[in-house]
Short mmCIF file of all heavy atoms in Angstrom, two decimals:
data_model
loop_
_atom_site.label_atom_id
_atom_site.label_comp_id
_atom_site.label_asym_id
_atom_site.label_seq_id
_atom_site.Cartn_x
_atom_site.Cartn_y
_atom_site.Cartn_z
N GLY A 124 -32.65 63.38 124.43
CA GLY A 124 -33.92 63.33 123.64
C GLY A 124 -34.93 64.34 124.28
O GLY A 124 -36.11 64.25 123.85
N LEU A 125 -34.52 65.15 125.25
CA LEU A 125 -35.46 66.01 125.85
C LEU A 125 -35.74 67.20 124.99
O LEU A 125 -34.97 67.61 124.13
CB LEU A 125 -34.89 66.50 127.21
CG LEU A 125 -34.61 65.32 128.20
CD1 LEU A 125 -33.74 65.91 129.33
CD2 LEU A 125 -35.88 64.69 128.71
N THR A 126 -36.85 67.82 125.14
CA THR A 126 -37.17 69.06 124.50
C THR A 126 -36.67 70.23 125.40
O THR A 126 -37.19 70.41 126.45
CB THR A 126 -38.64 69.33 124.18
OG1 THR A 126 -39.10 68.15 123.47
CG2 THR A 126 -38.94 70.58 123.37
N VAL A 127 -35.62 70.97 124.95
CA VAL A 127 -34.98 71.92 125.79
C VAL A 127 -35.19 73.26 125.30
O VAL A 127 -35.07 73.63 124.10
CB VAL A 127 -33.41 71.59 125.80
CG1 VAL A 127 -32.71 72.61 126.73
CG2 VAL A 127 -33.18 70.21 126.29
N PHE A 128 -35.51 74.20 126.20
CA PHE A 128 -35.76 75.65 126.01
C PHE A 128 -34.75 76.41 126.72
O PHE A 128 -35.07 76.71 127.99
CB PHE A 128 -37.15 75.98 126.25
CG PHE A 128 -38.19 75.34 125.43
CD1 PHE A 128 -38.81 74.16 125.85
CD2 PHE A 128 -38.63 75.89 124.20
CE1 PHE A 128 -39.68 73.50 125.05
CE2 PHE A 128 -39.57 75.23 123.45
CZ PHE A 128 -40.11 74.05 123.88
N PRO A 129 -33.59 76.80 126.23
CA PRO A 129 -32.69 77.65 126.94
C PRO A 129 -33.20 79.08 127.05
O PRO A 129 -33.61 79.67 125.97
CB PRO A 129 -31.38 77.59 126.19
CG PRO A 129 -31.80 77.12 124.84
CD PRO A 129 -33.09 76.40 124.89
N VAL A 130 -33.11 79.71 128.24
CA VAL A 130 -33.67 81.06 128.37
C VAL A 130 -32.66 81.84 129.22
O VAL A 130 -32.27 81.38 130.37
CB VAL A 130 -35.02 81.02 129.15
CG1 VAL A 130 -35.54 82.38 129.49
CG2 VAL A 130 -36.04 80.25 128.36
N ASP A 131 -32.30 82.99 128.78
CA ASP A 131 -31.38 83.89 129.52
C ASP A 131 -32.30 84.68 130.41
O ASP A 131 -32.52 85.85 130.12
CB ASP A 131 -30.49 84.76 128.60
CG ASP A 131 -29.44 85.48 129.36
OD1 ASP A 131 -29.53 85.58 130.57
OD2 ASP A 131 -28.52 86.05 128.69
N ALA A 132 -32.72 84.10 131.52
CA ALA A 132 -33.67 84.82 132.36
C ALA A 132 -32.99 85.95 133.05
O ALA A 132 -33.67 87.00 133.41
CB ALA A 132 -34.27 83.83 133.40
N PHE A 133 -31.70 85.88 133.34
CA PHE A 133 -31.02 87.02 134.01
C PHE A 133 -31.06 88.30 133.14
O PHE A 133 -31.37 89.32 133.54
CB PHE A 133 -29.51 86.63 134.32
CG PHE A 133 -28.77 87.69 135.16
CD1 PHE A 133 -28.91 87.60 136.48
CD2 PHE A 133 -28.12 88.64 134.55
CE1 PHE A 133 -28.24 88.64 137.24
CE2 PHE A 133 -27.38 89.61 135.25
CZ PHE A 133 -27.49 89.50 136.63
N GLU A 134 -30.76 88.11 131.81
CA GLU A 134 -30.84 89.18 130.84
C GLU A 134 -32.23 89.75 130.75
O GLU A 134 -32.43 90.96 130.68
CB GLU A 134 -30.31 88.72 129.49
CG GLU A 134 -30.05 89.84 128.48
CD GLU A 134 -31.34 90.33 127.79
OE1 GLU A 134 -32.25 89.51 127.58
OE2 GLU A 134 -31.39 91.51 127.42
N ILE A 135 -33.25 88.84 130.72
CA ILE A 135 -34.65 89.26 130.66
C ILE A 135 -34.94 90.17 131.86
O ILE A 135 -35.53 91.26 131.74
CB ILE A 135 -35.57 88.09 130.59
CG1 ILE A 135 -35.40 87.31 129.25
CG2 ILE A 135 -37.03 88.52 130.80
CD1 ILE A 135 -36.09 85.96 129.19
N ALA A 136 -34.56 89.69 133.04
CA ALA A 136 -34.86 90.37 134.30
C ALA A 136 -34.22 91.72 134.25
O ALA A 136 -34.78 92.78 134.69
CB ALA A 136 -34.48 89.52 135.46
N GLU A 137 -32.88 91.73 133.87
CA GLU A 137 -32.25 93.03 133.81
C GLU A 137 -32.83 94.00 132.92
O GLU A 137 -32.94 95.20 133.16
CB GLU A 137 -30.71 92.72 133.41
CG GLU A 137 -29.80 93.85 133.58
CD GLU A 137 -28.38 93.47 133.25
OE1 GLU A 137 -28.11 92.61 132.35
OE2 GLU A 137 -27.43 93.91 134.02
N SER A 138 -33.28 93.52 131.73
CA SER A 138 -33.97 94.43 130.77
C SER A 138 -35.29 94.95 131.24
O SER A 138 -35.75 96.02 130.85
CB SER A 138 -34.10 93.72 129.41
OG SER A 138 -35.12 92.72 129.52
N ALA A 139 -35.91 94.11 132.18
CA ALA A 139 -37.19 94.57 132.79
C ALA A 139 -36.95 95.60 133.87
O ALA A 139 -37.90 96.22 134.37
CB ALA A 139 -37.96 93.33 133.29
N GLY A 140 -35.72 95.64 134.37
CA GLY A 140 -35.40 96.69 135.37
C GLY A 140 -35.09 96.14 136.72
O GLY A 140 -34.86 96.88 137.66
N GLU A 141 -35.03 94.90 136.89
CA GLU A 141 -34.74 94.26 138.27
C GLU A 141 -34.16 92.86 138.12
O GLU A 141 -35.01 91.92 137.67
CB GLU A 141 -36.05 94.26 139.05
CG GLU A 141 -35.92 93.62 140.48
CD GLU A 141 -34.75 94.12 141.30
OE1 GLU A 141 -34.89 95.29 141.81
OE2 GLU A 141 -33.75 93.45 141.35
N ILE A 142 -32.93 92.66 138.39
CA ILE A 142 -32.37 91.31 138.27
C ILE A 142 -32.96 90.28 139.17
O ILE A 142 -32.91 89.08 138.81
CB ILE A 142 -30.81 91.38 138.46
CG1 ILE A 142 -30.45 91.86 139.85
CG2 ILE A 142 -30.12 92.19 137.41
CD1 ILE A 142 -29.02 91.77 140.18
N ARG A 143 -33.62 90.73 140.22
CA ARG A 143 -34.29 89.79 141.13
C ARG A 143 -35.55 89.20 140.54
O ARG A 143 -36.24 88.30 141.11
CB ARG A 143 -34.49 90.40 142.47
CG ARG A 143 -33.18 90.63 143.27
CD ARG A 143 -33.45 91.32 144.59
NE ARG A 143 -33.89 92.69 144.38
CZ ARG A 143 -34.18 93.55 145.32
NH1 ARG A 143 -34.00 93.26 146.59
NH2 ARG A 143 -34.50 94.86 145.06
N ALA A 144 -35.96 89.74 139.35
CA ALA A 144 -37.17 89.22 138.72
C ALA A 144 -36.92 87.99 137.81
O ALA A 144 -37.67 87.65 137.00
CB ALA A 144 -37.82 90.33 137.86
N VAL A 145 -35.71 87.38 137.90
CA VAL A 145 -35.36 86.19 137.16
C VAL A 145 -36.50 85.16 137.33
O VAL A 145 -36.87 84.44 136.37
CB VAL A 145 -34.03 85.59 137.62
CG1 VAL A 145 -33.82 84.16 137.20
CG2 VAL A 145 -32.90 86.47 137.06
N ASN A 146 -36.98 84.97 138.56
CA ASN A 146 -38.03 83.99 138.80
C ASN A 146 -39.32 84.25 137.98
O ASN A 146 -39.82 83.29 137.43
CB ASN A 146 -38.27 83.79 140.25
CG ASN A 146 -38.75 85.08 140.98
OD1 ASN A 146 -38.76 86.14 140.40
ND2 ASN A 146 -39.18 84.94 142.20
N MET A 147 -39.68 85.49 137.85
CA MET A 147 -40.94 85.76 137.13
C MET A 147 -40.69 85.66 135.57
O MET A 147 -41.61 85.29 134.92
CB MET A 147 -41.41 87.20 137.44
CG MET A 147 -42.04 87.32 138.78
SD MET A 147 -43.46 86.07 139.11
CE MET A 147 -42.63 85.00 140.22
N ALA A 148 -39.48 85.88 135.15
CA ALA A 148 -39.17 85.66 133.76
C ALA A 148 -39.30 84.14 133.42
O ALA A 148 -39.89 83.70 132.42
CB ALA A 148 -37.75 86.05 133.40
N LEU A 149 -38.88 83.29 134.40
CA LEU A 149 -39.04 81.82 134.19
C LEU A 149 -40.45 81.36 134.39
O LEU A 149 -40.90 80.49 133.64
CB LEU A 149 -38.07 81.10 135.14
CG LEU A 149 -36.55 81.31 134.80
CD1 LEU A 149 -35.72 80.77 135.93
CD2 LEU A 149 -36.28 80.63 133.48
N VAL A 150 -41.20 81.97 135.25
CA VAL A 150 -42.64 81.68 135.38
C VAL A 150 -43.33 82.06 134.09
O VAL A 150 -44.24 81.27 133.59
CB VAL A 150 -43.28 82.40 136.59
CG1 VAL A 150 -44.81 82.18 136.56
CG2 VAL A 150 -42.78 81.76 137.83
N GLY A 151 -42.97 83.14 133.51
CA GLY A 151 -43.52 83.55 132.18
C GLY A 151 -43.29 82.51 131.12
O GLY A 151 -44.16 82.12 130.31
N ALA A 152 -42.03 82.00 131.10
CA ALA A 152 -41.66 80.91 130.08
C ALA A 152 -42.46 79.71 130.40
O ALA A 152 -43.00 79.07 129.49
CB ALA A 152 -40.16 80.62 130.31
N LEU A 153 -42.61 79.28 131.65
CA LEU A 153 -43.46 78.10 132.03
C LEU A 153 -44.84 78.25 131.66
O LEU A 153 -45.52 77.24 131.21
CB LEU A 153 -43.25 77.79 133.51
CG LEU A 153 -44.12 76.72 134.14
CD1 LEU A 153 -43.83 75.39 133.59
CD2 LEU A 153 -43.99 76.77 135.67
N SER A 154 -45.37 79.42 131.84
CA SER A 154 -46.79 79.65 131.61
C SER A 154 -47.29 79.29 130.26
O SER A 154 -48.44 78.90 130.09
CB SER A 154 -47.15 81.15 131.89
OG SER A 154 -46.69 81.98 130.87
N VAL A 155 -46.42 79.34 129.25
CA VAL A 155 -46.81 78.98 127.83
C VAL A 155 -47.32 77.60 127.74
O VAL A 155 -48.20 77.30 126.95
CB VAL A 155 -45.65 79.26 126.92
CG1 VAL A 155 -45.93 78.72 125.48
CG2 VAL A 155 -45.13 80.74 126.87
N PHE A 156 -46.80 76.73 128.61
CA PHE A 156 -47.16 75.29 128.53
C PHE A 156 -48.24 74.86 129.48
O PHE A 156 -48.66 73.71 129.53
CB PHE A 156 -45.92 74.43 128.82
CG PHE A 156 -44.75 74.74 127.94
CD1 PHE A 156 -43.67 75.36 128.38
CD2 PHE A 156 -44.86 74.36 126.55
CE1 PHE A 156 -42.63 75.61 127.52
CE2 PHE A 156 -43.76 74.64 125.63
CZ PHE A 156 -42.67 75.25 126.24
N LEU A 157 -48.83 75.81 130.25
CA LEU A 157 -49.84 75.41 131.21
C LEU A 157 -51.23 75.84 130.72
O LEU A 157 -51.38 76.86 130.07
CB LEU A 157 -49.53 76.15 132.59
CG LEU A 157 -48.18 75.75 133.11
CD1 LEU A 157 -47.95 76.54 134.47
CD2 LEU A 157 -48.06 74.25 133.39
N PRO A 158 -52.25 75.10 131.12
CA PRO A 158 -53.62 75.36 130.67
C PRO A 158 -54.19 76.45 131.57
O PRO A 158 -55.27 76.31 132.19
CB PRO A 158 -54.35 74.02 130.97
CG PRO A 158 -53.57 73.43 132.12
CD PRO A 158 -52.16 73.88 132.01
N VAL A 159 -53.58 77.66 131.53
CA VAL A 159 -54.04 78.80 132.39
C VAL A 159 -53.95 79.99 131.49
O VAL A 159 -52.94 80.27 130.78
CB VAL A 159 -53.06 78.99 133.59
CG1 VAL A 159 -53.56 80.18 134.39
CG2 VAL A 159 -53.04 77.70 134.46
#
Side-chain angles (χ1 to χ4, degrees):
L125 302 165
T126 304
V127 181
F128 295 90
V130 175
D131 188 345
F133 187 87
E134 190 279 330
I135 292 171
E137 192 171 38
S138 70
E141 175 53 76
I142 58 173
R143 288 177 292 184
V145 163
N146 57 352
M147 285 306 106
L149 291 170
V150 170
L153 171 65
S154 71
V155 173
F156 302 111
L157 299 180
V159 179

